[in-house]
Amino acid sequence: MSPAKHIDLYDTTLRDGSQGEGVSFTVQDKLVVTEKLDDLGIRYVEGGWPGSNPRDAEYFEAAKKLKLKNARVTAFGSTARPGKTAAKDDNIKALLAADTSVVTIVGKTWAEEVRSSLRISLAANVDLIGKSIAYLSKRVDEVILDAEHFFDGYATNRDYAMQCLQAAIEGGAKVICLCDTRGGSLPEQITAAVTEVRELGAAVGIHCHDDSGLAIANSLAAVAAGAIQVQGTMNGFGERCGNANLCTLLPNLQLKLGYKCVTARQLRKLGETSRHLYELANMIPDRQSPYVGMSAFTHKGGLHVSAIKRNRASYEHIDPEIVGNAQRVLVSDLSGKSNIEYKAKEFGLDVDNRADELGGLLAEVKKLEKSGFQFEGADASLELLLRANLNGKEAFFKLIGFRVIDEKRHEDEPAQTEATVMIEDPDGNIEHTAATGNGPVHALDLALRKALVRFYPTLSDVTLHDYKVRVLAGEEGTAGLVRVLIESGDSEKRWGTVGVSHNVVEASWQALVDSLAYKLLKDGRSRTRKARAK
Amino acid sequence: MSPAKHIDLYDTTLRDGSQGEGVSFTVQDKLVVTEKLDDLGIRYVEGGWPGSNPRDAEYFEAAKKLKLKNARVTAFGSTARPGKTAAKDDNIKALLAADTSVVTIVGKTWAEEVRSSLRISLAANVDLIGKSIAYLSKRVDEVILDAEHFFDGYATNRDYAMQCLQAAIEGGAKVICLCDTRGGSLPEQITAAVTEVRELGAAVGIHCHDDSGLAIANSLAAVAAGAIQVQGTMNGFGERCGNANLCTLLPNLQLKLGYKCVTARQLRKLGETSRHLYELANMIPDRQSPYVGMSAFTHKGGLHVSAIKRNRASYEHIDPEIVGNAQRVLVSDLSGKSNIEYKAKEFGLDVDNRADELGGLLAEVKKLEKSGFQFEGADASLELLLRANLNGKEAFFKLIGFRVIDEKRHEDEPAQTEATVMIEDPDGNIEHTAATGNGPVHALDLALRKALVRFYPTLSDVTLHDYKVRVLAGEEGTAGLVRVLIESGDSEKRWGTVGVSHNVVEASWQALVDSLAYKLLKDGRSRTRKARAK
């Protein structure tokens, strides 16, 4: 077998990706992203547009000190401004000041845009491209042309679009990257254009946007037609519908098509890198994202779950570990006994020869789900339920009652909330506490912990990360059932709990109580583990 | 020009889509979805799997009463269980009991799966497919085969996969739908397989999953190779990485490829239908979703914004209005002011020569939106706000205060709720009322109406139809901001109101008060109209 053909990945998360709504990186974030991408084995990391904002210039200064193993930091900018020579253009000066070995220059190739946006003659634009690239090619190792709107230009004035590329090649561009700037092209259009551009003799790159949901397919079509560089962003960050998602492209190229982009070891870092970038960008991860999403290898339907227990390839196109992801199974009213068994084993419960009990548990779970419970985001509540049924309930504390008062005394003043909680501690003492809060659930949370923390000091480590409310049975309006999901965590892990009631306060109370009970269960387990280790 | 070729869209949001993590629909939700999809012009609406759970059976019973204009409700199920004849199989019985004109049957076509999952001989499986379909074909108008794992089967044991299809065709299947069940196939594999299957002479459908980010491209490849039915889900809901997203496929087929799926008028409902389904599923909309996402036509970069002001086609591959979306520009208030003006006119407010006041209102709306308000589902609150600012506030009643007590006295007893409300009526009398309810918001609603109804008897006509809670700023847990949307109605119309607070009870109170104030405003208007008519 001949060695696999290499494809260069070019990441523009820090430049094009940061144009996405809600995405913004500090200089420090950008440096971390650069190192993460280097670890992942990405060849080019486009760091920013030094001529466009001071933050990017600062980044390039700092990036020089990074010790990178794989990545070449790349500076991005446009051709010289109309009427300026490259030597006198501030943008080109800033590019050289960034002091990178690679520079990418965007040039317009759609005749209509040259007229309406640049407002110069078509010939003048060709000249700008050629001269800007020639000037830079003498001063840096590698110049790449990003041919903006290339596919639109190719569709409407092919000769002109090709002339622009020709000027760049003559100027010394090492790669001609064809951009589907509006994201509106179809794979067959990409194939035709790339095939013709390859005849110019230059190395071809591809840069796609996802406005038609085809960024991945278009990038792959270009590679099939001979492109050797693929531009994209991590998690598909980017303006409008985003750029081609490198987290999808990389495994497609490497696992499905046999190209070589990174090592197998690097590929296993993909999931973690994706999650880290969501964190840095402060974006909510897309659970459905191919390969790296939280749900990408998650199974819910009972038939599917029993099938993957026999043969996991039934519903998994690849082994998730290869890309740093993992299989997950959910419990829902679509599920069967095999889901419950899978979960019980995951929780470390002994279920051998307990088919009858599992059957009873499944019936109980289905009954709860019918009354509005949902355990998909509430593994901790599910574990408490399974454990109580299979091993007997662990009584960390006994609830007696609570009262919450929300009071608003004047139209212009905010409502005040006070909660009181009464519980019985393990010694049989009644704890009766009170707290005020921003709202009823916040006040209850504070009062409940106040009552318990004397006995269980680790409860003060619990943070409530997220709180979700869903009203069920919409037609009944405010008299309907309410489901509350709470996500809590400590320094080690996060867990989800659920409560259901007609009363949002009571539903929240159930989820809160489960959250704290789970923390105590978890701490008990780790104490046992530590004791055993001694 | 010859008339455009028709492609049938087949929606499986209610069945395959509901396998998505976090997606769950009540029976009422499912009926609403069916009507929305019918309005959108979808040809097939797969409602569920009547043999698998009681909720789906209930749906099919209720769905018979819907008056649909375009859609055929479809029931889904599997072939008869091994060892059962179709006539005696409970699953097949449940399918017929659903009483739909179309039935879709999933049959296995991957030899490996037949062995490992069904655990029967390959021949027995072919027999099950043929006989199940033959039995159903005599009893319903149209039977569709969903050929599970077809592309995996085709790749590893082509003859067997084709034999399964042949049995379905002989049994009378009207459409052979090829499923890329694991979502791992590439467009060229789809093209090759569809081309060969078409030679069998049957109508071909395609059902893709997005595990490689190629569900759209694969569906289009199948259509190019001759498939006439495309299965998918709204918003790409579905297990793992989701199904092929009909909100992307529909405009791609119709606008880019010239196929006919729905009318232009129906296509304009796409954005609204997508958003409505996210709401029903209580899922956070994907802003980046092609065509329908909030960011799909949103521009942020300064250069892009100035370019689209000259020529919007520079960075928009289609006109967003065509699919019911709109252009948005970030860091610019130009779009906002025209929106406010548009809304004010819609509410019948006189805004001529009031540019300054509109500017002030825009600033106020922006401030409220920044603090968490959202007027998209709350036109009534927006109207009250615009009216108060432009015409002065109409004081139907003056709020003094409220108090809500939620109390739980024993672990096994439900919480009790009591609300008290104090208002000043138009004569200057203080009304102080109390009510109990299922929960705090229900009790408040009852107490508030009790206080007002003596003065405003029509308030008893108001029904609260829906109540939604969204927690904003997730990182703060239970201390975060809460947005409440209430949908109310009387015999004439429905209206939406909004409230925002750290306290869910106070946010609900705001939305409740707006709802009743809007009813009084509306009744006042119709009194005026009636008086004028006399």
Side-chain angles (χ1 to χ4, degrees):
Chain A
M1 203 179 128
S2 62
K5 194 177 154 193
H6 196 90
I7 297 289
D8 278 333
L9 298 179
Y10 181 115
D11 180 281
T12 178
T13 304
L14 297 177
R15 205 267 312 166
D16 225 11
S18 73
Q19 304 240 1
E21 190 170 356
V23 179
S24 91
F25 295 110
T26 63
V27 171
Q28 183 54 37
D29 289 341
K30 289 185 139 206
L31 294 168
V32 175
V33 170
T34 307
E35 287 181 311
K36 296 299 289 183
L37 294 172
D38 180 55
D39 274 350
L40 185 62
I42 301 293
R43 186 78 182 106
Y44 298 90
V45 175
E46 189 176 87
W49 187 329
S52 82
N53 73 66
R55 195 166 55 187
D56 282 3
E58 200 184 323
Y59 160 82
F60 283 105
E61 195 53 41
K64 287 180 205 166
K65 299 184 195 94
L66 297 176
K67 294 199 183 3
L68 303 177
K69 301 173 292 289
N70 306 295
R72 293 179 152 205
V73 172
T74 303
F76 178 91
S78 68
T79 51
R81 301 284 188 276
K84 290 264 182 188
T85 62
K88 297 225 167 140
D89 185 87
D90 289 342
N91 172 52
I92 303 269
K93 281 183 198 165
L95 275 172
L96 290 173
D99 198 16
T100 57
S101 59
V102 190
V103 163
T104 298
I105 286 289
V106 60
K108 293 204 182 292
T109 59
W110 188 10
E112 206 174 313
E113 266 290 289
V114 173
R115 289 193 203 97
S116 77
S117 186
L118 280 186
R119 302 187 188 189
I120 56 174
S121 74
L122 298 185
N125 177 57
V126 173
D127 195 53
L128 277 181
I129 293 174
K131 288 194 174 145
S132 301
I133 288 182
Y135 180 80
L136 287 162
S137 291
K138 295 194 190 87
R139 289 163 178 84
V140 298
D141 285 359
E142 190 177 349
V143 179
I144 296 168
L145 172 75
D146 262 14
E148 197 186 15
H149 285 118
F150 178 76
F151 297 95
D152 298 301
Y154 186 85
T156 50
N157 188 340
R158 191 172 113 191
D159 288 347
Y160 182 69
M162 297 299 281
Q163 257 180 58
C164 294
L165 304 190
Q166 191 62 53
I169 295 168
E170 284 164 14
K174 290 274 166 58
V175 177
I176 300 294
C177 182
L178 308 177
C179 303
D180 187 28
T181 306
R182 304 195 299 170
S185 301
L186 302 171
E188 48 272 30
Q189 297 168 324
I190 305 283
T191 303
V194 171
T195 305
E196 183 170 346
V197 172
R198 281 201 68 210
E199 287 167 13
L200 298 178
V204 174
I206 183 75
H207 173 117
C208 293
H209 286 260
D210 206 31
D211 298 75
S212 311
L214 291 166
I216 300 298
N218 286 345
S219 304
L220 297 182
V223 169
I228 54 94
Q229 178 183 98
V230 178
Q231 299 195 354
T233 62
M234 291 297 288
N235 302 322
F237 291 147
E239 198 166 34
R240 306 188 313 269
C241 306
N243 289 56
N245 187 346
L246 288 180
C247 298
T248 310
L249 270 172
L250 168 50
N252 274 348
L253 286 167
Q254 191 143 328
L255 304 175
K256 303 257 161 178
L257 292 163
Y259 292 100
K260 178 94 179 71
C261 304
V262 302
T263 67
R265 195 193 173 93
Q266 288 165 334
L267 189 55
R268 275 197 296 276
K269 295 182 182 176
L270 188 65
E272 195 264 323
T273 312
S274 159
R275 293 188 289 276
H276 197 136
L277 263 84
Y278 274 119
E279 279 296 326
L280 287 174
N282 199 22
M283 300 286 280
I284 298 165
D286 177 5
R287 304 182 83 103
Q288 293 198 166
S289 193
Y291 296 102
V292 294
M294 179 80 144
S295 301
F297 301 94
T298 296
H299 307 281
K300 178 169 160 183
L303 278 181
H304 289 197
V305 174
S306 57
I308 55 159
K309 278 175 68 186
R310 298 197 188 107
N311 172 20
R312 60 187 291 171
S314 303
Y315 294 95
E316 293 179 358
H317 66 129
I318 63 150
D319 174 355
E321 325 280 324
I322 295 176
V323 291
N325 207 340
Q327 185 185 75
R328 287 166 64 233
V329 166
L330 302 176
V331 165
S332 81
D333 67 350
L334 300 171
S335 54
K337 210 148 113 185
S338 48
N339 294 53
I340 298 281
E341 196 178 334
Y342 181 100
K343 288 311 259 187
K345 281 183 182 162
E346 186 185 315
F347 299 147
L349 292 162
D350 181 12
V351 291
D352 294 340
N353 306 315
R354 300 181 79 171
D356 281 0
E357 283 161 282
L358 284 176
L361 252 177
L362 177 65
E364 164 122 19
V365 167
K366 287 203 177 249
K367 203 180 90 193
L368 284 168
E369 287 184 327
K370 220 179 157 203
S371 72
F373 279 80
Q374 184 188 306
F375 293 101
E376 273 178 42
D379 255 12
S381 287
L382 183 66
E383 178 169 347
L384 289 166
L385 178 74
L386 298 196
R387 201 168 277 279
N389 274 270
L390 293 170
N391 290 1
K393 190 169 176 175
E394 295 188 61
F396 295 108
F397 50 89
K398 203 173 140 193
L399 309 172
I400 299 172
F402 67 78
R403 182 199 288 146
V404 185
I405 302 178
D406 301 286
E407 189 162 13
K408 190 177 174 84
R409 286 294 103 206
H410 189 276
E411 197 180 346
D412 299 328
E413 284 168 15
Q416 303 290 325
T417 306
E418 183 196 65
T420 65
V421 162
M422 204 186 275
I423 57 148
E424 193 182 310
D425 72 23
D427 288 345
N429 303 313
I430 302 294
E431 297 283 340
H432 193 176
T433 54
T436 56
N438 274 336
V441 187
H442 186 225
L444 262 183
D445 178 29
L446 296 178
L448 181 60
R449 288 210 238 183
K450 202 187 270 186
L452 290 169
V453 82
R454 209 168 52 92
F455 245 86
Y456 300 112
T458 63
L459 290 184
S460 59
D461 304 340
V462 178
T463 308
L464 299 184
H465 291 291
D466 200 4
Y467 169 72
K468 287 205 177 83
V469 181
R470 155 112 220 215
V471 179
L472 309 167
E475 279 311 298
E476 297 172 66
T478 56
L481 270 177
V482 173
R483 176 168 64 223
V484 168
L485 286 166
I486 288 181
E487 191 183 69
S488 318
D490 58 15
S491 57
E492 286 173 348
K493 72 177 277 189
R494 289 187 174 208
W495 58 91
T497 53
V498 61
V500 173
S501 165
H502 283 284
N503 184 325
V504 63
V505 174
E506 184 168 26
S508 307
W509 164 262
Q510 293 167 7
L512 274 175
V513 166
D514 268 10
S515 166
L516 300 185
Y518 181 80
K519 164 70 174 167
L520 298 176
L521 177 74
K522 174 180 163 298
D523 287 354
R525 269 205 302 263
S526 63
R527 271 200 302 277
T528 316
R529 267 201 305 275
K530 278 174 200 153
R532 273 191 202 138
K534 285 171 193 169
Chain B
M1 202 179 129
S2 63
K5 195 178 153 193
H6 196 89
I7 296 289
D8 279 333
L9 298 180
Y10 181 115
D11 180 280
T12 177
T13 304
L14 297 177
R15 204 268 311 165
D16 224 11
S18 74
Q19 303 239 3
E21 185 167 3
V23 178
S24 92
F25 295 112
T26 63
V27 170
Q28 182 55 35
D29 289 339
K30 288 185 140 206
L31 295 168
V32 174
V33 170
T34 306
E35 286 181 312
K36 296 299 289 184
L37 294 173
D38 180 54
D39 275 348
L40 185 62
I42 301 293
R43 186 78 182 106
Y44 297 90
V45 174
E46 190 175 86
W49 187 329
S52 83
N53 73 66
R55 195 162 54 183
D56 282 3
E58 203 183 321
Y59 160 83
F60 283 106
E61 194 53 41
K64 285 180 206 164
K65 298 183 196 97
L66 296 177
K67 293 197 183 8
L68 303 178
K69 301 172 294 289
N70 307 294
R72 294 179 151 206
V73 172
T74 304
F76 178 91
S78 68
T79 50
R81 301 283 189 277
K84 290 264 182 189
T85 63
K88 296 226 166 138
D89 185 86
D90 289 340
N91 172 51
I92 304 268
K93 282 183 198 163
L95 274 172
L96 289 173
D99 197 16
T100 56
S101 59
V102 189
V103 163
T104 298
I105 286 289
V106 60
K108 293 204 183 289
T109 59
W110 187 10
E112 204 173 314
E113 266 290 289
V114 173
R115 290 196 202 95
S116 76
S117 185
L118 281 187
R119 300 184 191 193
I120 56 176
S121 74
L122 296 185
N125 177 55
V126 172
D127 195 53
L128 276 181
I129 293 175
K131 288 194 175 144
S132 301
I133 288 182
Y135 180 80
L136 287 163
S137 291
K138 294 195 191 85
R139 288 161 179 84
V140 299
D141 286 357
E142 189 176 351
V143 179
I144 296 169
L145 172 75
D146 262 12
E148 198 186 16
H149 285 120
F150 178 75
F151 298 94
D152 298 302
Y154 185 85
T156 51
N157 187 339
R158 193 173 112 188
D159 288 347
Y160 181 70
M162 297 299 282
Q163 256 181 58
C164 295
L165 304 190
Q166 190 63 51
I169 294 168
E170 284 161 15
K174 289 273 166 60
V175 177
I176 300 295
C177 181
L178 309 178
C179 302
D180 187 29
T181 306
R182 305 194 299 170
S185 300
L186 301 172
E188 48 272 30
Q189 296 168 323
I190 304 285
T191 302
V194 171
T195 304
E196 183 169 346
V197 172
R198 281 202 66 210
E199 287 166 16
L200 297 179
V204 174
I206 183 75
H207 172 117
C208 292
H209 286 260
D210 205 31
D211 298 75
S212 312
L214 291 166
I216 300 298
N218 286 345
S219 305
L220 297 182
V223 169
I228 54 96
Q229 179 183 97
V230 177
Q231 299 194 353
T233 61
M234 291 298 286
N235 302 323
F237 292 147
E239 200 166 32
R240 306 189 312 270
C241 306
N243 289 55
N245 187 346
L246 287 181
C247 298
T248 309
L249 271 172
L250 167 50
N252 274 347
L253 286 167
Q254 191 142 328
L255 303 176
K256 304 255 161 178
L257 292 162
Y259 292 101
K260 177 98 177 69
C261 304
V262 302
T263 66
R265 197 193 172 92
Q266 287 165 335
L267 189 56
R268 274 197 296 276
K269 295 183 182 175
L270 187 66
E272 194 264 324
T273 312
S274 159
R275 292 188 288 277
H276 197 136
L277 263 84
Y278 274 119
E279 275 299 327
L280 286 173
N282 202 21
M283 300 286 280
I284 297 166
D286 177 5
R287 305 183 80 103
Q288 293 197 169
S289 193
Y291 298 102
V292 295
M294 179 80 142
S295 301
F297 301 94
T298 296
H299 307 280
K300 177 171 160 185
L303 277 183
H304 289 197
V305 173
S306 59
I308 56 159
K309 278 170 70 179
R310 297 196 190 107
N311 172 20
R312 60 189 290 172
S314 304
Y315 295 95
E316 292 178 0
H317 66 131
I318 62 149
D319 173 357
E321 324 279 324
I322 296 175
V323 291
N325 206 340
Q327 185 184 78
R328 284 166 66 233
V329 169
L330 302 178
V331 298
S332 156
D333 60 351
L334 289 172
S335 54
K337 199 149 137 189
S338 50
N339 271 24
I340 298 280
E341 195 177 337
Y342 178 93
K343 282 300 201 184
K345 282 182 181 163
E346 188 185 313
F347 299 146
L349 292 163
D350 180 12
V351 291
D352 293 342
N353 306 314
R354 298 181 80 173
D356 280 0
E357 282 161 281
L358 284 176
L361 251 177
L362 175 64
E364 166 123 18
V365 168
K366 285 200 176 250
K367 204 181 88 193
L368 285 168
E369 285 182 331
K370 223 182 150 195
S371 72
F373 279 82
Q374 184 190 303
F375 294 102
E376 264 180 50
D379 254 12
S381 286
L382 183 64
E383 179 169 348
L384 290 167
L385 178 74
L386 298 197
R387 202 168 277 279
N389 275 270
L390 293 170
N391 290 1
K393 190 168 176 177
E394 294 189 61
F396 296 107
F397 50 88
K398 203 174 141 194
L399 309 171
I400 298 171
F402 67 76
R403 182 199 289 146
V404 185
I405 301 177
D406 301 285
E407 190 163 13
K408 190 176 173 84
R409 286 293 102 207
H410 190 276
E411 198 180 347
D412 298 329
E413 285 169 14
Q416 303 291 324
T417 305
E418 183 195 64
T420 66
V421 163
M422 203 186 274
I423 57 148
E424 192 182 310
D425 73 22
D427 287 345
N429 302 314
I430 303 293
E431 298 282 340
H432 194 177
T433 53
T436 56
N438 274 337
V441 187
H442 186 226
L444 262 184
D445 178 28
L446 297 178
L448 182 59
R449 288 209 240 185
K450 202 187 270 186
L452 290 169
V453 81
R454 208 168 52 92
F455 244 88
Y456 300 110
T458 63
L459 289 184
S460 59
D461 305 339
V462 177
T463 309
L464 298 184
H465 291 291
D466 200 4
Y467 169 72
K468 287 207 174 80
V469 181
R470 178 143 278 176
V471 179
L472 309 168
E475 75 285 352
E476 296 172 69
T478 58
L481 269 177
V482 171
R483 178 169 62 225
V484 167
L485 285 166
I486 288 182
E487 191 183 70
S488 318
D490 58 16
S491 57
E492 286 174 348
K493 72 176 277 185
R494 290 188 173 207
W495 58 90
T497 53
V498 60
V500 173
S501 165
H502 282 283
N503 184 325
V504 63
V505 175
E506 184 168 25
S508 308
W509 165 262
Q510 293 167 8
L512 274 175
V513 167
D514 267 10
S515 167
L516 300 184
Y518 182 80
K519 163 72 173 166
L520 298 176
L521 177 75
K522 174 180 163 294
D523 287 355
R525 269 207 301 265
S526 63
R527 270 201 304 276
T528 315
R529 268 201 304 276
K530 279 174 200 154
R532 274 193 202 134
K534 285 171 193 169

